[in-house]
Amino acid sequence: MGRTSRTLHRWAGNVKIVACRPRVPPKHVPRLIPRMNVIRRRVRSPLTARTRRRSCMRRCCTPLPIRWAHRLQVDSDIDDINTDTFHLDIWDHDDESCVMDAVSRLNEVRGVRGLGRFFKQVCQSARQGSQDDFLGSVNIPLSEIPSTGLDAWFKLEARSHRSTVQGRIRLKLWLSTREDRSTVSEENHEQQIHKVEQLQRVFMQHEVTTHEPSWTWCGDLPGPALTILHQLAVQSDLSDLHCAMARYVAAAKLNRSTPLDPKFLHRLLSDVEKQWNQPNQEALSRDLEQWLADAMNGFVERSLNQIRRHRDIFPALNPPSLIRLEFLLRCLGLLGSMRAFRAVCPFNKGVRGEVVNALRKGSVMWGQTVMRESQSMPNPLSNFVTTLTADIQLGQTYYHALFDNTNGIQYFSIIYKQYDAMVGEEVYSRMAAGQVPGVRMNLSQYAVLEGDAEPVDTKPFELFLALQEFCQLKRHLSAQPQPPEKPLALSNSHEWFIPTLERWMMVSKAKALQRIRAAIRMDAICEGERIVRYSSSSVDTASTLLNIKEFWKVLNWPDEDTAIMMESQLIDVVCSAAMHYCDLIHTALADSGYYEQQGPFRCSDDMCVTVNNVEYVRRTLAEFRSDEQPLEESADNLLESSLTHMENRCERILSKLAPLMQMSLQKAMFHLAWSPDSLPANQAIVPLLEYLDCHLAALNSALLTKNFNRSLRFIWKTVLGEMSRQMETGDETDKPTHFHKRLYEALQLLIDFFHAEGQGLLLECLHTEDFWRIEQRLQFHKTDTDRLIDMFYMQRLREQLMAVMPSPYGSLAVRAYFNHDSLCVEVLHARDVVPLDPNGFSDPFVVIELLPRRVFLHCMEQQTNVHKRTLNPVFDECFEFSVTLEQCLTEGAMICFTVMDHDVLTANDFGGEAYLALGNIPGVADYSTSVDNFHGLKQIELPLMEQKDKCNPILQILEVRVNDKQAQDFVRKQKSRFIN
């Protein structure tokens, strides 16, 4: 800082005392109250100016070290910068107090040291006036203080060699020179501000030229430039606000021609706002406010222009450009909230609203450019919509968060609604004018083109898919448009394409049938990995169906109501195509004489290829059914009927296999059944298994898994039929001893063979009704007569439990209980007994019998009295049987009630029977509780039954046991109960 001659300069010194660490004698510690005297000492001047400032910490006891911040501003004339010195004294302030106050604190004294302090305070109070204690001083030559300031610790000095001073003080000092404000006009002051701004711009321009591109300069000036600017500001007596404004205005003007880093501009704006909000800030002149307003408005205008062209200036896929855009938006957001901006630009409409308008205008301009460029494309509208969709997706990913986080602007919603209006207007007008091939306007609705021979143009579908992709993005809108707000223009755009889609359905059906016929004419055999054979026509047909399915999936029709209608038409197309193919190839197989051929069986290539083709297409058609999106009922029924039709075709083709094998299976089964007893079952079954293994292996390699399992079911049914035939052939006396045992073992071996450890038929498929019937009959053949009779009665008891009331043969009401080795049975009455006499009535009576007979041999049958000419007899008779609890708990123990019609001249007629399990009656079910009589017991109403199954397997097996008298008697008794 030099000295200017012939001009009066004042020294404006600023001192900030940050901390002080004086070292004082211990006796001064309790009442150390610092006070500073600042002396501006000019060595050459005979006078010394002294100013005393008292600390705000007065009348408080402060421990050492002392920390405080106190700012002083001192003005003084400077004679010689090289010799003048800044002098600072530090004192210990003592408050004035009277002797009586000091003596009154005698009762507060504690200890010897406290007594010494007490006498000191009394002596100080006795003094005349206030005498402060000197703590130290600091002397700093002004030539050692740079213009940018000084921040350091200084050691306290004593006034003479006899003084003892210790400690340090930290000072922040800065000084400046300025002219006397009284001699400087306001106009000159503003000129100085403009000079600083121009110099700032020169330095910035120089720095920008050294960086390419210009926005890579971070805004830092070199040291010499900062020094010059600082000296100029000091000499011009500029405040921090003036300097901040000058820096910002310079950067804003430079930014108009040379783009600067928005982060640097944001920092300058923040500095202006910070200085503007400082307390006691002097007001700006009108010219300076206008000067700042012009800079801010120019920056806003340039920024809005960049926002309009942000896609080109700030590419989304360039991360550095996104950072620049973010800080540009931060600058605009800061401007909108700055007190300085509102003060100098009071009529501004609002930065946020202008940003929104800039986004809208920029989107319209960009969309119009895209539309012009799309005119050279094959499908201009589709390309136009696709490009806008890609842009809005890019904006959602990269731009939306920047605008939202910085200014609370919903970028996506603004751009999407703008594009929606543009696309809706453009597409609707062009489709109405017939500029979109494939659709035309007819009474405000789109109709299909005339002429079925004309192929369907794909351009409308390309446009539809592009519009659908665009419409799907509306889920990202912050809020859907609500009345009275204008609704989205493309919300129902799919309705424009309904006629086009309907015509496509019709054409697709015709094309599919045509392609299927052509594929059959060019059929060729194909082989898969397992040599499973099918033909190329099935692949072409399946591909046709899948193409239709994929096209519908890609369309993703948005309207649920019309989608159901369209989906039904789609199902009709694919079902018609699949069934047409199935009928054609099945007819070709039938014409080849497949159904007329006779055995022996051989694996036919035509049969295998045909049935595989049908199954291949059927499996493809079944994929149109989904659990996630159920079809409409009529469409689902159509699909189900088509799948069933194709399933029946496969079943019919494969059903021919079993008859061709029947003769060979019959021979092998005869060998198994009638082999001598010396030949075990596992050896007797070998010819049958070898024959099956040979032909089933050929079928397995030639058929699809589904078809192979179908053929297995037919062959399994034929094997069971042949086994049943061998069981029923011949007289029981002529059969080998182990005939039924061998067949039973063979049946288990056949189960294992066809199941093939899970590789063949499932056990659920093997356990058919025929299997259970044969297995049961073989089990019965192995069972003795007594056990079979017991099983027969248990079957009758189960049938009764499953019978519904009322029974067509009437019912019987009874009561029974067991007590003290005595079974009491009461027959109460019967209702609706079957009339067995010519007069329309019966003469009923009831026979009571305990079963099984081998358990209750000592208990004879008992019967009620005969009631003449009635269908609802009331018996009210009680019967007692001497039995034990163990007998009643025997498996199958029951009471048999037989209703008979009494005849005098002929045998009594059977009128029905009922059964009551002994295990459920009182006294047996809860045998720990005794029952003394019938009082309190509920009556049981049993439905009467008659014999209906003349082919009961137990009776048939017992009937063939001609040498077993018990079996013959039982069969004869049961046959008398059959319904005539």
Side-chain angles (χ1 to χ4, degrees):
M1 178 179 63
R3 181 178 178 186
T4 304
S5 61
R6 299 183 183 276
T7 303
L8 179 61
H9 281 78
R10 300 286 292 175
W11 174 69
N14 295 277
V15 185
K16 185 176 184 181
I17 304 170
V18 180
C20 180
R21 295 177 180 173
R23 302 299 181 185
V24 298
K27 64 179 181 177
H28 292 166
V29 173
R31 295 289 295 170
L32 179 60
I33 302 176
R35 193 196 63 197
M36 294 159 294
N37 293 338
V38 181
I39 301 176
R40 300 179 303 278
R41 177 175 298 173
R42 294 172 299 171
V43 177
R44 293 182 181 179
S45 175
L47 299 177
T48 299
R50 180 181 176 120
T51 301
R52 176 172 295 179
R53 291 176 178 260
R54 293 179 180 264
S55 170
C56 63
M57 292 185 292
R58 175 171 227 184
R59 298 186 182 276
C60 68
C61 183
T62 306
L64 295 178
I66 306 167
R67 291 184 178 273
W68 73 94
H70 199 80
R71 178 168 179 168
L72 308 174
Q73 182 169 347
V74 184
D75 294 342
S76 177
D77 295 334
I78 300 175
D79 292 338
D80 190 348
I81 189 66
N82 296 318
T83 57
D84 284 358
T85 303
F86 170 73
H87 179 78
L88 177 71
D89 286 342
I90 303 174
W91 300 83
D92 174 26
H93 175 74
D94 292 328
D95 291 336
E96 298 178 1
S97 59
C98 64
V99 177
M100 296 303 295
D101 291 338
V103 174
S104 65
R105 299 191 184 96
L106 180 60
N107 59 345
E108 299 177 2
V109 175
R110 298 289 185 273
V112 177
R113 296 180 60 184
L115 186 62
R117 296 173 186 171
F118 170 74
F119 287 123
K120 177 180 179 294
Q121 294 175 1
V122 172
C123 294
Q124 290 177 345
S125 302
R127 296 175 182 175
Q128 296 295 328
S130 176
Q131 296 184 5
D132 299 336
D133 295 332
F134 178 73
L135 298 179
S137 63
V138 176
N139 293 283
I140 304 174
L142 295 183
S143 60
E144 296 180 3
I145 304 177
S147 62
T148 55
L150 179 66
D151 181 1
W153 286 90
F154 298 91
K155 185 177 181 181
L156 298 179
E157 302 175 1
R159 288 184 294 187
S160 65
H161 65 278
R162 292 179 298 177
S163 302
T164 303
V165 174
Q166 297 181 10
R168 296 183 301 165
I169 185 171
R170 181 181 174 186
L171 301 176
K172 286 186 177 181
L173 304 126
W174 61 98
L175 54 84
S176 61
T177 61
R178 65 185 182 189
E179 295 181 357
D180 192 350
R181 291 297 301 270
S182 60
T183 64
V184 179
S185 66
E186 187 70 29
E187 181 179 354
N188 291 336
H189 186 65
E190 292 179 2
Q191 291 178 357
Q192 295 298 324
I193 297 176
H194 290 304
K195 288 181 181 179
V196 174
E197 177 260 319
Q198 293 173 0
L199 187 58
Q200 284 272 6
R201 188 154 25 107
V202 171
F203 287 147
M204 290 180 183
Q205 181 68 48
H206 173 73
E207 293 298 322
V208 165
T209 56
T210 62
H211 291 76
E212 184 61 35
S214 58
W215 57 75
T216 57
W217 177 55
C218 63
D220 294 336
L221 294 176
L226 292 175
T227 301
I228 294 174
L229 291 171
H230 178 75
Q231 293 287 354
L232 181 58
V234 168
Q235 293 177 6
S236 302
D237 193 22
L238 302 185
S239 65
D240 292 340
L241 176 60
H242 295 152
C243 295
M245 291 169 52
R247 285 193 296 271
Y248 171 72
V249 172
K253 290 182 178 180
L254 181 61
N255 186 57
R256 296 175 185 175
S257 58
T258 306
L260 298 181
D261 184 8
K263 186 184 297 186
F264 168 55
L265 294 171
H266 183 267
R267 190 166 63 245
L268 296 180
L269 278 173
S270 301
D271 193 21
V272 171
E273 180 68 2
K274 177 182 178 182
Q275 298 302 328
W276 188 279
N277 294 330
Q278 291 294 329
N280 301 324
Q281 187 66 249
E282 74 176 289
L284 298 178
S285 66
R286 228 174 135 159
D287 292 339
L288 287 180
E289 287 186 353
Q290 186 61 42
W291 174 63
L292 180 60
D294 293 341
M296 288 182 170
N297 287 328
F299 173 74
V300 170
E301 184 60 34
R302 175 176 174 78
S303 299
L304 293 177
N305 184 52
Q306 290 180 318
I307 295 297
R308 284 191 287 270
R309 299 184 297 115
H310 67 277
R311 298 172 182 83
D312 301 324
I313 300 177
F314 307 105
L317 300 180
N318 185 5
S321 69
L322 293 180
I323 296 176
R324 292 170 47 225
L325 175 60
E326 177 185 1
F327 277 92
L328 178 64
L329 293 172
R330 290 185 182 276
C331 289
L332 294 175
L334 179 60
L335 275 171
S337 61
M338 285 177 62
R339 291 176 57 188
F341 182 72
R342 291 196 297 270
V344 301
C345 303
F347 302 106
N348 190 279
K349 297 180 181 179
V351 177
R352 184 180 181 279
E354 293 184 0
V355 173
V356 172
N357 291 331
L359 282 177
R360 291 197 177 105
K361 293 179 182 178
S363 300
V364 172
M365 295 169 52
W366 190 82
Q368 292 173 349
T369 303
V370 172
M371 189 66 227
R372 289 193 297 269
E373 295 174 353
S374 300
Q375 296 303 318
S376 60
M377 300 294 178
N379 194 346
L381 279 182
S382 176
N383 183 78
F384 173 60
V385 177
T386 302
T387 305
L388 295 188
T389 303
D391 177 73
I392 194 66
Q393 289 175 334
L394 209 62
Q396 167 68 12
T397 304
Y398 296 99
Y399 293 136
H400 179 80
L402 298 181
F403 282 85
D404 187 20
N405 296 336
T406 55
N407 292 272
I409 296 175
Q410 296 298 312
Y411 175 90
F412 178 84
S413 298
I414 295 171
I415 303 300
Y416 182 87
K417 292 178 181 178
Q418 197 67 41
Y419 284 170
D420 176 79
M422 291 177 58
V423 173
E425 180 181 359
E426 186 71 23
V427 174
Y428 186 83
S429 61
R430 287 178 177 264
M431 292 182 74
Q435 298 179 12
V436 179
V439 294
R440 62 184 179 87
M441 180 68 79
N442 182 19
L443 299 178
S444 300
Q445 298 292 331
Y446 289 95
V448 296
L449 294 175
E450 299 294 336
D452 293 338
E454 184 178 351
V456 176
D457 200 317
T458 59
K459 292 181 180 179
F461 294 107
E462 295 176 6
L463 177 58
F464 173 81
L465 295 176
L467 290 175
Q468 283 302 105
E469 185 179 6
F470 181 86
C471 291
Q472 288 173 2
L473 295 177
K474 68 182 179 182
R475 65 182 183 274
H476 297 298
L477 288 175
S478 57
Q480 296 292 335
Q482 300 293 331
E485 187 179 358
K486 186 178 180 181
L488 296 176
L490 298 177
S491 56
N492 296 319
S493 60
H494 61 278
E495 296 178 356
W496 304 342
F497 299 88
I498 291 179
T500 304
L501 184 58
E502 290 178 343
R503 182 175 182 273
W504 175 83
M505 292 285 186
M506 295 185 294
V507 174
S508 296
K509 183 176 182 179
K511 294 290 185 182
L513 298 179
Q514 180 182 358
R515 180 177 177 180
I516 287 171
R517 289 190 291 269
I520 292 177
R521 288 195 299 270
M522 302 173 62
D523 215 351
I525 300 298
C526 305
E527 292 184 355
E529 297 180 357
R530 297 179 54 199
I531 322 178
V532 174
R533 294 194 173 189
Y534 52 93
S535 65
S536 59
S537 62
S538 64
V539 179
D540 291 342
T541 303
S543 176
T544 302
L545 301 182
L546 290 177
N547 288 338
I548 296 175
K549 178 183 178 181
E550 287 301 316
F551 178 77
W552 176 252
K553 183 178 179 180
V554 170
L555 284 183
N556 192 21
W557 197 261
D559 183 49
E560 184 176 355
D561 295 334
T562 53
I564 293 175
M565 177 187 66
M566 296 297 178
E567 196 171 41
S568 299
Q569 297 182 20
L570 180 78
I571 294 299
D572 176 69
V573 171
V574 296
C575 288
S576 299
M579 292 179 64
H580 183 64
Y581 174 77
C582 176
D583 293 339
L584 288 178
I585 62 174
H586 181 262
T587 302
L589 178 66
D591 293 342
S592 67
Y594 170 74
Y595 291 106
E596 287 76 21
Q597 65 179 336
Q598 302 295 326
F601 169 80
R602 66 179 183 84
C603 188
S604 171
D605 290 342
D606 292 340
M607 181 274 296
C608 294
V609 170
T610 301
V611 75
N612 284 341
N613 286 345
V614 175
E615 174 58 24
Y616 190 86
V617 176
R618 190 202 68 82
R619 189 169 57 191
T620 304
L621 184 62
E623 294 179 4
F624 282 81
R625 175 177 290 161
S626 173
D627 295 335
E628 298 177 357
Q629 296 180 346
L631 297 173
E632 189 265 337
E633 184 178 0
S634 60
D636 188 72
N637 292 337
L638 177 60
L639 180 60
E640 180 63 28
S641 62
S642 301
L643 294 175
T644 303
H645 175 78
M646 302 180 74
E647 183 87 21
N648 294 336
R649 290 296 190 191
C650 293
E651 296 280 350
R652 183 181 179 188
I653 295 173
L654 295 174
S655 64
K656 184 64 178 176
L657 299 180
L660 295 178
M661 293 184 177
Q662 188 169 7
M663 188 63 67
S664 299
L665 291 176
Q666 183 178 354
K667 292 179 180 179
M669 190 62 68
F670 178 83
H671 177 271
L672 168 65
W674 296 94
S675 295
D677 292 339
S678 59
L679 188 64
N682 57 356
Q683 296 181 16
I685 201 175
V686 168
L688 175 61
L689 295 183
E690 289 179 348
Y691 176 81
L692 291 174
D693 184 68
C694 176
H695 294 291
L696 292 182
L699 291 175
N700 188 30
S701 62
L703 295 177
L704 294 173
T705 303
K706 183 78 171 180
N707 287 330
F708 179 67
N709 289 336
R710 290 191 183 107
S711 63
L712 282 182
R713 288 199 297 271
F714 285 115
I715 296 173
W716 172 244
K717 183 177 181 179
T718 304
V719 169
L720 292 178
E722 291 302 322
M723 179 174 287
S724 177
R725 181 181 303 175
Q726 293 301 326
M727 288 170 52
E728 297 172 357
T729 301
D731 193 354
E732 289 293 322
T733 58
D734 298 334
K735 293 179 179 178
T737 306
H738 301 296
F739 179 84
H740 298 100
K741 180 180 178 181
R742 182 188 292 114
L743 289 181
Y744 183 82
E745 294 176 356
L747 183 63
Q748 304 306 317
L749 293 174
L750 287 172
I751 284 285
D752 295 338
F753 177 81
F754 278 88
H755 183 57
E757 297 180 351
Q759 300 300 316
L761 287 178
L762 299 176
L763 292 178
E764 292 80 1
C765 298
L766 292 171
H767 293 163
T768 61
E769 185 178 349
D770 292 340
F771 166 79
W772 289 118
R773 182 178 57 81
I774 294 174
E775 200 265 350
Q776 185 185 57
R777 290 178 67 88
L778 291 175
Q779 285 282 12
F780 289 163
H781 277 291
K782 294 166 49 178
T783 307
D784 57 48
T785 301
D786 288 335
R787 180 59 181 166
L788 283 179
I789 294 175
D790 293 346
M791 293 172 64
F792 177 82
Y793 282 123
M794 284 190 287
Q795 284 184 359
R796 297 294 290 165
L797 180 61
R798 286 194 294 270
E799 292 175 8
Q800 177 180 287
L801 294 176
M802 297 174 61
V804 294
M805 296 289 287
S807 171
Y809 308 107
S811 61
L812 179 67
V814 299
R815 274 201 295 252
Y817 74 94
F818 175 80
N819 189 27
H820 302 301
D821 295 336
S822 177
L823 175 63
C824 298
V825 180
E826 183 179 7
V827 180
L828 301 177
H829 59 81
R831 290 190 301 178
D832 301 325
V833 177
V834 177
L836 297 174
D837 291 339
N839 57 10
F841 293 98
S842 291
D843 301 328
F845 66 96
V846 180
V847 178
I848 301 96
E849 180 184 10
L850 299 184
L851 300 174
R853 291 299 304 157
R854 57 185 173 79
V855 177
F856 302 99
L857 286 175
H858 61 286
C859 298
M860 302 303 294
E861 294 180 355
Q862 301 188 50
Q863 66 181 38
T864 64
N865 296 322
V866 178
H867 290 252
K868 295 293 186 178
R869 298 176 58 85
T870 180
L871 299 180
N872 299 285
V874 178
F875 299 105
D876 281 336
E877 297 183 43
C878 184
F879 304 91
E880 185 175 356
F881 298 89
S882 178
V883 295
T884 63
L885 180 61
E886 289 74 14
Q887 289 175 324
C888 294
L889 292 173
T890 303
E891 181 184 6
M894 66 182 75
I895 307 172
C896 176
F897 300 94
T898 306
V899 177
M900 302 294 292
D901 175 41
H902 177 73
D903 288 329
V904 178
L905 299 178
T906 60
N908 297 331
D909 297 327
F910 175 75
E913 60 185 359
Y915 300 89
L916 179 62
L918 292 179
N920 297 331
I921 66 174
V924 177
D926 49 351
Y927 50 84
S928 61
T929 304
S930 75
V931 180
D932 296 330
N933 49 47
F934 286 114
H935 299 296
L937 297 181
K938 294 182 179 180
Q939 68 179 19
I940 302 174
E941 188 170 2
L942 303 175
L944 294 176
M945 303 183 299
E946 290 195 6
Q947 292 284 357
K948 293 182 293 184
D949 186 9
K950 295 183 178 181
C951 298
N952 187 285
I954 294 179
L955 294 180
Q956 290 179 345
I957 292 171
L958 291 176
E959 187 176 8
V960 298
R961 297 181 180 180
V962 294
N963 297 326
D964 189 341
K965 183 177 183 303
Q966 181 184 2
Q968 296 300 313
D969 292 342
F970 179 78
V971 172
R972 191 179 306 109
K973 177 181 177 181
Q974 296 303 320
K975 281 187 175 182
S976 66
R977 302 188 176 192
F978 284 147
I979 300 175
N980 297 326

